[in-house]
Amino acid sequence: AARPLRCWRPEPAEAMLPRPPFPGEVRRAAAAGRSRSRPRGAGGGTVLLPSMLMFGVILASSGLLLMIEKGILAEVKPPPLHPAAGELSRRGGGGGAEAPGDLDYQVLQDIRNRTIRAVCGQRAMPRSVWELPAGQRRTVLRHLLVSDKYRFLYCYVPKVACSNWKRILKVLDGALESVDVKLKMDHKSDLVFLGDMKPDEINYRLKNYYKFIFVRNPMERLLSAYRNKFGEIKEYQQRYGVEIVRRYRKNGGNSVGDDVTFSEFLRYLLDEEVERMNEHWMPIYNLCQPCAVRYDFIGSYERLNADASYVLERVQSPSFIRFPERQSWYKPMTAETLRYYLCNTQRRLIKELLPKYILDFSLFGYPLPNITSEFCRQ
């Protein structure tokens, strides 16, 4: 908190400059001579609204949890995460290859940059993947997907549209004909993981490739994982659900794991070590290590199509490739659904769980959940 917050913009990505072949290259870049630049806001700078700056400073401070009880953070509203009217890319009907540019979104990105800079600048934070403990390093390298042809790294986060991004990677690599092919997603085959490479190959790509990640409201992501895995996936019901019910419910020995309550799920997360968590509910920070890996772009689930289109243009993917439409059966999470679950869960459970996900809230600019009695009575 003592470190002053300064505007920060990454230098132009060196990954976009032509380079000679490197040791152990899996595939050669299709067009090594491309030249690209980092997106900048209109006029070369970003205007910080006072309330948004206050929001960023609060999130970066050490007093977060002390504010939960009175719902103070609920009064400081983050900027809207939805695209401005008429904001389209060439994949959506017009526009150029500029970064999503409405003022509110520039403010959000600036807050994220400032907060990541402040937090990751602390002496104890890792500066590279090689400074991470072995287990944490394995996790992040297993979640970094590689496109050597288009020279980018994508850190996939379960429950943040990662299946569609994997589908795009397979199309870019030629393993899949179209993003619209109706096949059950194989999350391992025809994908290249950074963790399968040698140290010099890893270092080259981390230094020279365009790196991006997509994030989501932490509580919304947890609820999405809970409803999907325990409401629909038998494997998860048997592997996790049966144990959760047995552990946290009296006379729960007869459960087959399909009736886990949200409160029981949160109690399970409280007792789990973060590094041992399943990837579907492991914090984004632990999956992708934004201090050890310097990402060039952080996209939001809340404005998925606009941000995905920007990334696809940024890496110069073929113009016919677009981000897949959501399946007809998909039921998006609503604010009312999240509010229902949070307001019908013991506040103590949510408060005790927040420290495990506090870096996801603070680094990526999400407000802490409003669980005050007044809010829940409305």
Side-chain angles (χ1 to χ4, degrees):
R3 186 184 295 264
L5 295 177
R6 297 173 181 169
C7 288
W8 168 69
R9 296 185 183 278
E11 292 78 12
E14 295 182 7
M16 303 303 118
L17 301 177
R19 297 181 178 277
F22 51 90
E25 183 175 20
V26 178
R27 303 175 189 84
R28 302 208 180 258
R34 303 176 200 148
S35 177
R36 309 173 184 123
S37 61
R38 284 288 297 161
R40 288 184 178 273
T46 298
V47 179
L48 269 181
L49 305 179
S51 61
M52 296 303 101
L53 179 58
M54 175 185 175
F55 176 70
V57 171
I58 289 176
L59 286 177
S61 72
S62 60
L64 284 168
L65 299 179
L66 299 178
M67 300 180 182
I68 299 172
E69 180 67 34
K70 296 183 179 180
I72 294 176
L73 288 183
E75 300 173 5
V76 184
K77 302 295 184 183
L81 294 174
H82 304 289
E87 181 182 296
L88 297 170
S89 71
R90 64 179 171 85
R91 301 167 200 278
E98 295 183 2
D102 59 279
L103 178 60
D104 285 337
Y105 193 63
Q106 290 180 30
V107 171
L108 175 63
Q109 290 287 3
D110 196 76
I111 288 173
R112 284 176 176 166
N113 284 342
R114 287 166 175 261
T115 310
I116 290 174
R117 182 76 166 181
V119 172
C120 296
Q122 301 303 310
R123 184 172 300 176
M125 303 303 283
R127 300 296 195 277
S128 76
V129 296
W130 308 112
E131 294 182 16
L132 295 169
Q136 294 180 20
R137 183 167 61 250
R138 280 195 300 271
T139 295
V140 65
L141 293 180
R142 279 203 306 259
H143 284 81
L144 281 165
L145 293 169
V146 182
S147 172
D148 281 321
K149 185 176 182 180
Y150 293 92
R151 299 172 70 84
F152 69 78
L153 300 177
Y154 159 60
C155 186
Y156 79 87
V157 178
K159 308 311 297 179
V160 191
C162 72
S163 294
N164 279 340
W165 273 113
K166 290 177 180 178
R167 191 179 294 270
I168 286 176
L169 276 156
K170 292 187 179 189
V171 173
L172 290 174
D173 195 45
L176 200 62
E177 182 178 346
S178 165
V179 295
D180 297 318
V181 173
K182 305 299 182 184
L183 289 175
K184 183 178 180 181
M185 172 57 62
D186 186 328
H187 291 269
K188 298 295 181 183
S189 67
D190 299 317
L191 294 169
V192 179
F193 296 84
L194 194 61
D196 293 333
M197 298 182 176
K198 297 177 181 179
D200 60 336
E201 299 169 353
I202 292 172
N203 285 335
Y204 183 92
R205 289 163 174 82
L206 285 172
K207 180 179 180 182
N208 298 303
Y209 279 20
Y210 185 77
K211 299 172 287 294
F212 67 94
I213 177 180
F214 274 71
V215 299
R216 186 178 186 180
N217 181 298
M219 291 307 300
E220 183 180 302
R221 176 172 170 254
L222 286 182
L223 180 55
S224 177
Y226 161 75
R227 295 175 70 191
N228 173 241
K229 300 308 175 186
F230 298 107
E232 303 172 8
I233 311 298
K234 194 168 186 178
E235 176 188 349
Y236 277 78
Q237 294 169 359
Q238 294 175 342
R239 182 176 178 183
Y240 296 98
V242 171
E243 172 61 21
I244 290 174
V245 172
R246 185 194 65 78
R247 190 187 301 182
Y248 300 108
R249 188 186 307 172
K250 291 182 179 180
N251 304 318
N254 295 325
S255 171
V256 295
D258 61 350
D259 58 344
V260 177
T261 68
F262 190 55
S263 293
E264 289 169 339
F265 175 57
L266 296 189
R267 290 181 66 185
Y268 167 72
L269 296 181
L270 271 174
D271 291 340
E272 276 286 281
E273 293 182 28
V274 169
E275 294 180 17
R276 295 179 178 272
M277 284 183 175
N278 180 279
E279 64 177 7
H280 289 85
W281 43 80
M282 181 181 284
I284 298 174
Y285 178 88
N286 297 79
L287 289 173
C288 295
Q289 297 289 343
C291 288
V293 179
R294 189 166 173 174
Y295 293 97
D296 298 289
F297 183 74
I298 299 175
S300 296
Y301 184 83
E302 294 80 5
R303 45 181 294 132
L304 181 59
N305 288 330
D307 284 358
S309 293
Y310 167 70
V311 169
L312 289 172
E313 292 188 26
R314 187 66 176 75
V315 300
Q316 295 191 5
S317 71
S319 60
F320 69 86
I321 294 182
R322 54 174 175 72
F323 199 76
E325 297 290 336
R326 284 173 172 164
Q327 300 295 327
S328 58
W329 49 261
Y330 177 78
K331 295 181 180 179
M333 180 81 62
T334 65
E336 289 75 18
T337 302
L338 179 61
R339 177 173 175 171
Y340 173 83
Y341 275 91
L342 293 180
C343 288
N344 284 279
T345 301
Q346 289 181 333
R347 271 182 278 178
R348 175 188 59 82
L349 275 178
I350 297 173
K351 292 176 184 177
E352 291 178 359
L353 185 65
L354 286 179
K356 285 192 172 180
Y357 295 89
I358 201 65
L359 285 176
D360 285 4
F361 282 104
S362 60
L363 292 183
F364 306 128
Y366 288 104
L368 296 177
N370 189 342
I371 52 175
T372 60
S373 298
E374 180 181 357
F375 177 78
C376 289
R377 277 198 304 265
Q378 294 175 0

